[in-house]
Amino acid sequence: LIAAGIPPRNVYLWGVGGKRITVADLTGKTSAQNVQDAKNVLTTIDTWIVALGTNDRPQNDATVNTAIDTLLSSIGGTAKVIWIGLTSKGSASADDIRVNGLIQAKLTARGNAEFADWDAYIRALDGGANPSPYWLTTDTTHMTTQGYEERADFYLAQLVDGPAPVTGTGA
């Protein structure tokens, strides 16, 4: 962040294992509460980066759509929203593709929002390698240290350069 000219005091990060779009996390906080906490700390927020949905994949469309609406409503205002898309190791799961489509539709309806296609990006880097330097071999969701470093760089690129147009599965 510092090398990109973004002072850490201007950033609010929240991450916890098993996080869902609207369900309380292991600390008892919902994402809407996390949004309010960020607003309380930073007062003015120009851009939100959201990386949620993986743990909501088993839910039906109505539940996921309601969750997305709740989160976007808690963000409110005119600040830009960049939502990082879902992906899985191997071929994209039907649920990744489905939830990404729901997210994309909600962002289009909101305006001043972009979908950052993490799936297309990591697949371009990975090239289908098996084993991959980016994915753990124990499951289809979690990444190696190198994978998470790439993901952090991808987030930063969204802030600095904005999402690049990509083609792919949308997964």
Side-chain angles (χ1 to χ4, degrees), residues 30-146:
T30 66
S31 295
Q33 289 171 309
N34 299 143
V35 165
Q36 188 57 54
D37 290 346
K39 288 177 177 181
N40 292 343
V41 169
L42 299 174
T43 64
T44 302
I45 299 173
D46 299 323
T47 304
W48 294 87
I49 292 185
V50 177
L52 292 168
T54 300
N55 294 316
D56 293 279
R57 289 181 295 199
Q59 308 305 312
N60 65 37
D61 288 4
T63 300
V64 174
N65 275 324
T66 298
I68 295 167
D69 286 340
T70 298
L71 183 60
L72 291 176
S73 178
S74 68
I75 289 171
T78 58
K80 183 175 188 170
V81 174
I82 301 169
W83 200 304
I84 308 297
L86 284 58
T87 193
S88 299
K89 181 171 77 174
S91 60
S93 79
D95 283 331
D96 289 331
I97 295 167
R98 179 181 60 84
V99 172
N100 279 341
L102 298 174
I103 293 166
Q104 289 170 314
K106 293 294 182 179
L107 295 179
T108 298
R110 179 191 190 275
N112 198 26
E114 299 192 32
F115 179 81
D117 196 339
W118 169 242
D119 179 71
Y121 180 83
I122 194 63
R123 287 183 193 287
L125 286 180
D126 185 66
N130 189 12
S132 167
Y134 305 108
W135 296 94
L136 293 177
T137 58
T138 54
D139 66 40
T140 61
T141 302
H142 298 96
M143 307 197 87
T144 62
T145 300
Q146 185 177 353

